[in-house]
Amino acid sequence: MTASKASDALHLQTLTELARGLAGGEFSSRELTESLLERIDAHQKSLNAFITLTADEALAEADLADKNRATGAGGPLQGLPIVHKDLFCTAGVRTTCGSKILQDFVSPYDATVVARLKSAGAIMLGKTNMDEFAMGSSNETSFFGAVTNPWDQKMSPGGSSGGSAAAVAARLVPAATGTDTGGSIRQPAALTGTVGLKPTYGRVSRFGMVAFASSLDQAGVITRSAEDAALLLNAMAGVDPRDSTSADQPIPDYTATLSDSVKGLRIGVVRQHFDEGLDDECGKTVKTALAALEDAGASLVDVDLPNIGLSVPTYYVVAPAECSSNLSRFDGVRFGHRADNVKDLFDLYCRSRGEGFGAEVKRRIMTGTYVLSAGYYDAYYLKAQKVRQLISRDFNQAFEKVDVIAGPTAPTTAFRLGEKTDDPITMYLNDIYTIGANLAGLPGISVPCGLVKKMPVGLQLVGPAFAEASLLSCAHQYQQITDWHRQAPEAFR
Amino acid sequence: MSRWEVVIGLEIHTQLATNSKIFSGSSTAYGAEPNAQASLVDLGYPGVLPVLNVEVVRMAAMFGLAVNATVAKRSIFARKNYFYPDLPKGYQISQYELPIVVGGELFIRDDAGDEKRIRITRAHLEEDAGKSVHDEFEGSTGVDLNRAGTPLLEIVSEPDLRSAKEAVAYMRKIHSIVRYLEISDGNMQEGSFRCDANVSVRQVGQVELGTRAEVKNLNSFRFVEKAINFEIARQIDVIEDGGVVVQETRLYDSDKDETRSMRSKEEANDYRYFPDPDLLPVEIEDSFVEEVRRSLPELPHVKCARFIAEYALKEADAEILTVSRALADFYEEVAKTTAGDSRIAANWIIGDLSALLNRDNIDIQDSPITPIALAGLLDRITDDTISGKIAKEVFDGMSTGEGSADEIIAAKGLQQITDVSALDAIVAAIIDANPAQVADYRAGKEKLLGFFVGQVMKETGGKANPGQVNQLIKQKLS
């Protein structure tokens, strides 16, 4: 295993290192962009991390960035290449959501996340593959085919932001956006040895992010270091008048507090997250990581989240309910796939949607429709909302005792492609440790903390609402004393 | 007396008079090219989100206070899910469990003319759908989403109405209130004010309600009355023929004057309402409610009571004059300007002026005769310059722009003959010319007085003062 340094090849450098290199004139945005596009080109076939590439636009933007740099103009991400999960609307570039129904959909506008990163100077190289409408934990529900895990290409990279995670892990790009509704950033980050940050619900605007479950969805990033995640969050965070649920909260400079020590930091270790279901080796790896933080001065405190065991069933009522309604607009009338030779309106709806959506999406639409139906609403949807409040209360009580909560991100390392596709329940249980943060609207981050049988393991940190700064500094401090995040999969060094 | 009792509740949809839509910045102006006023939010594009136009909250609060209801401290937007091409998102954003206005009341006259309290269950905010255009495209349907997202206030009454007439009276009251508040233009041709009626019948004395039918989309007062009366007769026929009324939605066809079944209860959609996670609850502070309360204009029933007290009007006249704020303002300006009797001012406005405006289909605001001009005319009646009869001639001249009352009177020489000696001569001549009638009158046929007066008026071209003429003739014949 080799750790990369700033003097390494461009693809091995972090976003922060690349920013320094660009500023110091060591290389140009065009050189950087060209070298990454070459790498993407070489590996796209085997990884399938991208749905759409925007090479020409990216090179044009790189040239512009180089020109700006010469005159001193431009934002903090000037000329840095990133990629977007194909759930973010991008003006003029198709946005498929990994679905046949939006196979040819071109949005006329940019999502707020896209616009903010663009105005900070970032260059988009392409749009990444994902589970259809972000519904899945393995990237196998994509209409464009599964993404493979760079650490072992027989394995899943996780999902739904699997393309973003694989692209960052394979050193094709330094950073990618993602979305996290139940773990869709953190779980693939864990399974690919990358950093995945899901901010507090409302920290980042949802405008232009195609909705899966509106009360749970949150945009975030997948990077190789906590420092890079802080750099990107600086550009993405903030209230958006076009999203009523975005939070009007102060935006700290997340990079400014990275060097804060973990001395005195109280880290809650959730008893329930080390119960049966967690792979033994993964459990040990996470505990080793916690011990390292303890050695660095943090104190470990056992905490209970008594209702956290109900998070998966609660999630699988709330999320499908919202998705069943959010996906109604894909009806073949105004945009997206429309069936040919329809007999009447009913036929238009049934066939356009029947042909356009994949099996998992249909399963969730049906589940959601069921739990909202007259006679079932109270027993399912309303009850799930009540449990959701209990879970939220559990977190709040835990945060009276500790500053952050830590544990495994996923119960196992990456699983084999195809292994769980016939068993949705087992697939759903892969998000057992991540879903709680979505239900409670809390920020969470997954950082690589070791390998089990040569496959990465993630350490998850969850904080109180709007405590991204302390999560990022804790993660950054951990990355100062370990080098797991510097380790690249063998075939992609 | 009928053995049937009719029970009606109304759901009135009133379009709020905002400049932009309830959840997007698009204009709400009527009559634009199809889809010219539909933004990405109105089109339900992937990724877009609704943002509440706070103006609708203020308008809903005004309505709530005007009908003595509670303005909810917290109300919630929900999604009403169903598929239709003119419903772009596949759901309508509406308020369901927690509406913004709860529990109001207003008073109407029942069929016997007595005051009756009608309870208002609730009023909630929602977005309108678009429009499907079926007849302009061969073999396909067009969708115009200009109207999609237009703010509506749906006002739901308790089933307190007992006849089609009461339903119309209630609807007119609501119409008057929303226009007074200036929260809706109330334009029924453009669909800004329309209603659905829930109609059922039961035997007199029966406690439980009969099965109701919901009659949809009634967009004029006349149609409301006709549709409800049709529906009442239909339901009574069904029951008297031994059948049962089924719960269903029916559509009123104004061309055929009948209601037709649209869908039965079994076919009804399960709307799967749930709180819209894209919108925050609407939280209203007491201070906001107080601010709105202070901004309320004088309401129709208050104004009506004041007109009765201040201008000695008959109740019926005061009610007519206060139906719209513009009419009431017009009246009040006349009443305050004229030196004459405020009741005569009311008669002129309700009578001649209204007839003129109706004939030419003109709004009171655009009346060719201004309040000051009308007051000028009334002053000439009061000071006996002209008679009421001549005044009508002057009024006609004013309406066609011939000038002020004084100008017309002067130009046409319409001033009353008040010179007693001149009148005396005319009266004497008339008496001399009609000896037979004089004899009859003196023999006790006093009705003939009118004949003499008429002759004098004819002779003077109407310019004599009728009271004065009366007196003179009586004197001479006694």
Side-chain angles (χ1 to χ4, degrees):
Chain A
M1 288 175 209
T2 52
S4 63
K5 297 185 294 297
S7 57
D8 279 340
L10 294 179
H11 68 271
L12 294 176
Q13 296 186 28
T14 65
L15 204 61
T16 308
E17 289 159 356
L18 291 170
R20 252 179 251 134
L22 282 172
E26 290 167 36
F27 48 86
S28 67
S29 291
R30 174 167 267 273
E31 284 163 344
L32 173 60
T33 305
E34 275 176 349
S35 76
L36 295 182
L37 286 170
E38 263 171 50
R39 262 184 86 73
I40 290 170
D41 197 42
H43 296 293
Q44 166 62 8
K45 209 169 171 194
S46 75
L47 283 171
N48 196 27
F50 289 88
I51 291 174
T52 303
L53 286 166
T54 51
D56 293 343
E57 296 93 324
L59 288 169
E61 283 176 45
D63 287 340
L64 189 65
D66 287 332
K67 215 190 282 171
N68 284 343
R69 192 172 308 103
T71 63
L77 301 175
Q78 176 86 275
L80 291 171
I82 58 164
V83 293
H84 291 299
K85 185 177 184 177
D86 207 15
L87 192 69
F88 290 100
C89 288
T90 44
V93 176
R94 72 173 176 161
T95 299
T96 69
C97 296
S99 180
K100 180 180 177 184
I101 210 160
L102 289 180
Q103 192 179 358
D104 301 312
F105 174 71
V106 178
S107 169
Y109 73 100
D110 276 335
T112 299
V113 162
V114 171
R116 286 190 177 172
L117 288 169
K118 193 184 271 179
S119 77
I123 296 170
M124 175 177 81
L125 303 190
K127 313 265 319 260
T128 59
N129 202 346
M130 55 181 284
D131 279 300
E132 185 178 3
F133 284 102
M135 298 175 201
S137 309
S138 69
N139 226 292
E140 292 165 290
T141 71
S142 171
F143 173 68
F144 300 89
V147 175
T148 61
N149 191 321
W151 293 82
D152 178 345
Q153 296 197 262
K154 294 188 293 300
M155 300 291 187
S156 162
S160 65
S161 311
S164 288
V168 174
R171 275 57 183 170
L172 306 185
V173 289
T177 56
T179 64
D180 191 316
T181 305
S184 278
I185 286 174
R186 291 159 291 155
Q187 183 257 18
L191 270 45
T192 59
T194 51
V195 172
L197 172 69
K198 176 203 103 75
T200 310
Y201 183 79
R203 174 78 294 182
V204 176
S205 168
R206 292 187 296 115
F207 185 81
M209 196 176 115
V210 180
F212 159 17
S214 315
S215 75
L216 301 160
D217 293 344
Q218 177 62 195
V221 290
I222 294 178
T223 57
R224 291 207 290 274
S225 70
E227 191 177 25
D228 287 0
L231 187 63
L232 290 172
L233 186 59
N234 273 353
M236 289 162 66
V239 69
D240 179 359
R242 290 175 301 181
D243 175 3
S244 316
T245 63
S246 66
D248 195 0
Q249 291 277 333
I251 311 157
D253 175 357
Y254 293 104
T255 60
T257 45
L258 289 171
S259 52
D260 287 3
S261 156
V262 296
K263 278 203 177 63
L265 187 76
R266 297 168 301 167
I267 299 179
V269 181
V270 185
R271 257 189 276 264
Q272 287 81 359
H273 282 182
F274 290 88
D275 281 352
E276 128 191 57
L278 175 64
D279 174 82
D280 282 349
E281 293 298 313
C282 288
K284 275 181 208 157
T285 307
V286 170
K287 286 204 166 144
T288 306
L290 293 173
L293 284 166
E294 196 175 23
D295 287 347
S299 58
L300 301 184
V301 183
D302 280 341
V303 293
D304 277 307
L305 296 174
N307 296 292
I308 198 74
L310 297 171
S311 61
V312 172
T314 301
Y315 176 86
Y316 278 98
V317 171
V318 175
E322 293 181 9
C323 109
S324 71
S325 174
N326 281 334
L327 269 58
S328 294
R329 69 187 61 197
F330 305 107
D331 57 4
V333 174
R334 282 145 297 128
F335 43 74
H337 175 74
R338 180 190 283 192
D340 289 330
N341 305 319
V342 293
K343 289 201 302 282
D344 52 23
L345 182 61
F346 189 71
D347 194 39
L348 168 76
Y349 286 149
C350 290
R351 283 178 42 221
S352 298
R353 289 168 67 82
E355 292 162 9
F357 290 135
E360 182 61 27
V361 170
K362 286 178 190 166
R363 177 159 35 240
R364 297 200 195 188
I365 289 173
M366 284 189 284
T367 307
T369 303
Y370 179 80
V371 300
L372 289 175
S373 300
Y376 298 99
Y377 181 87
D378 289 3
Y380 292 104
Y381 184 78
L382 209 57
K383 182 163 276 179
Q385 291 296 0
K386 288 177 184 165
V387 177
R388 187 176 179 178
Q389 284 177 7
L390 292 178
I391 290 169
S392 214
R393 204 180 61 189
D394 286 354
F395 275 107
N396 290 337
Q397 285 172 355
F399 287 124
E400 288 170 12
K401 294 201 292 181
V402 297
D403 303 307
V404 296
I405 282 171
T409 307
T412 61
T413 56
F415 45 89
R416 225 164 248 287
L417 286 164
E419 185 183 318
K420 301 183 189 217
T421 42
D422 295 334
D423 185 358
I425 305 288
T426 317
M427 186 75 91
Y428 296 170
L429 285 171
N430 217 262
D431 293 330
I432 189 161
Y433 307 133
T434 49
I435 279 174
N438 298 86
L439 290 171
L442 303 175
I445 190 168
S446 178
V447 290
C449 70
L451 297 173
V452 168
K453 297 192 184 82
K454 294 189 179 173
M455 295 302 286
V457 177
L459 164 71
Q460 177 179 230
L461 304 171
V462 174
F466 302 102
E468 283 83 359
S470 44
L471 288 189
L472 287 164
S473 68
C474 180
H476 179 70
Q477 290 305 306
Y478 177 73
Q479 295 185 329
Q480 299 306 296
I481 52 176
T482 58
D483 74 344
W484 299 110
H485 63 293
R486 290 281 179 193
Q487 299 191 11
E490 226 170 81
F492 297 92
R493 285 178 189 155
Chain B
M1 189 182 153
S2 166
R3 63 193 184 92
W4 296 104
E5 185 186 36
V6 176
V7 177
I8 302 161
L10 293 189
E11 295 168 12
I12 296 175
H13 295 85
T14 183
Q15 178 177 327
L16 296 176
T18 53
N19 294 324
S20 60
K21 293 184 178 179
I22 183 167
F23 299 119
S24 83
S26 310
S27 167
T28 52
Y30 180 81
E33 285 293 301
N35 297 310
Q37 287 169 185
S39 68
L40 295 178
V41 172
D42 308 320
L43 291 165
Y45 255 58
V48 298
L49 296 168
V51 175
L52 180 64
N53 176 352
V54 291
E55 185 62 10
V56 302
V57 173
R58 191 183 65 79
M59 289 181 168
M62 286 179 86
F63 176 78
L65 294 175
V67 296
N68 203 18
T70 304
V71 179
K73 287 192 190 312
R74 188 166 188 269
S75 60
I76 288 187
F77 284 103
R79 294 184 183 178
K80 178 182 183 179
N81 294 284
Y82 65 96
F83 284 97
Y84 205 68
D86 61 24
L87 187 72
K89 299 185 293 297
Y91 57 84
Q92 177 195 26
I93 305 176
S94 179
Q95 294 186 313
Y96 186 55
E97 279 182 333
L98 295 176
I100 189 161
V101 171
V102 185
E105 60 176 13
L106 59 72
F107 293 87
I108 61 163
R109 301 228 163 252
D110 65 15
D111 292 355
D114 295 325
E115 189 162 79
K116 179 173 174 180
R117 175 174 180 254
I118 306 299
R119 293 168 299 161
I120 293 168
T121 317
R122 59 185 277 166
H124 64 256
L125 290 164
E126 62 184 24
E127 58 177 344
D128 206 346
K131 194 170 73 177
S132 293
V133 184
H134 298 292
D135 45 6
E136 283 182 33
F137 307 94
E138 183 78 28
S140 46
T141 294
V143 177
D144 178 4
L145 295 175
N146 282 350
R147 212 178 64 193
T150 298
L152 300 178
L153 186 68
E154 180 174 336
I155 303 156
V156 183
S157 83
E158 289 288 310
D160 287 349
L161 302 159
R162 292 291 173 270
S163 71
K165 274 210 168 69
E166 283 187 17
V168 171
Y170 165 81
M171 196 174 169
R172 282 190 187 278
K173 277 271 164 159
I174 297 277
H175 190 247
S176 165
I177 289 170
V178 298
R179 290 177 67 220
Y180 259 72
L181 298 174
E182 293 176 339
I183 61 174
S184 175
D185 64 14
N187 189 321
M188 298 175 91
Q189 281 88 40
E190 293 174 8
S192 302
F193 193 85
R194 55 192 197 262
C195 96
D196 303 337
N198 284 297
V199 180
S200 67
V201 298
R202 62 181 170 192
Q203 302 252 8
V204 170
Q206 183 182 318
V207 179
E208 60 274 26
L209 293 170
T211 305
R212 68 170 196 271
E214 183 181 9
V215 186
K216 283 267 189 214
N217 223 14
L218 305 168
N219 65 355
S220 85
F221 295 122
R222 201 161 58 92
F223 292 162
V224 168
E225 185 162 353
K226 291 177 90 166
I228 291 175
N229 279 331
F230 176 89
E231 189 53 26
I232 292 167
R234 186 191 69 84
Q235 291 186 14
I236 291 173
D237 277 356
V238 167
I239 300 170
E240 286 182 342
D241 289 349
V244 269
V245 173
V246 290
Q247 191 177 331
E248 62 184 349
T249 303
R250 299 179 70 87
L251 195 67
Y252 178 67
D253 180 336
S254 57
D255 292 336
K256 294 183 181 160
D257 187 23
E258 62 177 29
T259 67
R260 277 198 306 272
S261 183
M262 256 173 81
R263 55 177 178 261
S264 71
K265 189 187 173 190
E266 287 72 30
E267 293 167 293
N269 281 308
D270 178 354
Y271 291 120
R272 293 169 283 122
Y273 281 99
F274 74 105
D276 190 334
D278 288 333
L279 290 160
L280 302 176
V282 181
E283 312 267 1
I284 295 179
E285 311 262 344
D286 289 344
S287 59
F288 175 80
V289 175
E290 285 319 304
E291 191 190 310
V292 171
R293 196 189 298 279
R294 280 194 300 274
S295 77
L296 287 183
E298 185 179 35
L299 291 165
H301 65 280
V302 178
K303 204 181 273 284
C304 180
R306 183 169 64 80
F307 277 15
I308 293 167
E310 212 164 295
Y311 301 113
L313 296 183
K314 284 184 290 189
E315 193 169 349
D317 288 351
E319 277 179 10
I320 294 170
L321 288 172
T322 53
V323 157
S324 90
R325 205 161 144 182
L327 182 62
D329 288 349
F330 190 101
Y331 168 73
E332 194 150 28
E333 194 176 347
V334 176
K336 281 192 167 144
T337 312
T338 179
D341 191 329
S342 55
R343 284 169 299 188
I344 293 175
N347 290 341
W348 274 87
I349 292 171
I350 294 168
D352 295 77
L353 183 64
S354 293
L356 170 74
L357 299 179
N358 283 342
R359 187 195 69 197
D360 296 342
N361 198 18
I362 301 170
D363 288 335
I364 185 78
Q365 297 92 309
D366 305 324
S367 168
I369 299 172
T370 65
I372 295 189
L374 184 60
L377 174 64
L378 300 181
D379 285 349
R380 295 294 80 79
I381 302 170
T382 308
D383 66 12
D384 281 338
T385 305
I386 52 173
S387 67
K389 196 168 170 205
I390 290 293
K392 291 192 192 295
E393 192 183 333
V394 178
F395 179 91
D396 287 342
M398 290 165 73
S399 74
T400 52
E402 287 174 28
S404 70
D406 286 339
E407 285 164 356
I408 294 168
I409 292 165
K412 296 191 176 175
L414 296 173
Q415 203 153 352
Q416 278 187 146
I417 301 164
T418 46
D419 177 351
V420 180
S421 61
L423 266 186
D424 220 41
I426 297 168
V427 169
I430 298 290
I431 287 173
D432 286 349
N434 295 286
Q437 282 82 351
V438 171
D440 284 353
Y441 179 85
R442 287 199 168 125
K445 237 180 156 183
E446 289 186 6
K447 276 197 293 184
L448 280 169
L449 180 63
F451 163 78
F452 291 111
V453 174
Q455 292 296 310
V456 174
M457 294 308 280
K458 196 172 163 191
E459 191 65 27
T460 59
K463 287 188 284 182
N465 179 319
Q468 209 176 4
V469 174
N470 241 311
Q471 225 172 351
L472 275 174
I473 294 169
K474 276 187 184 164
Q475 272 173 20
K476 289 210 183 284
L477 293 179
S478 61

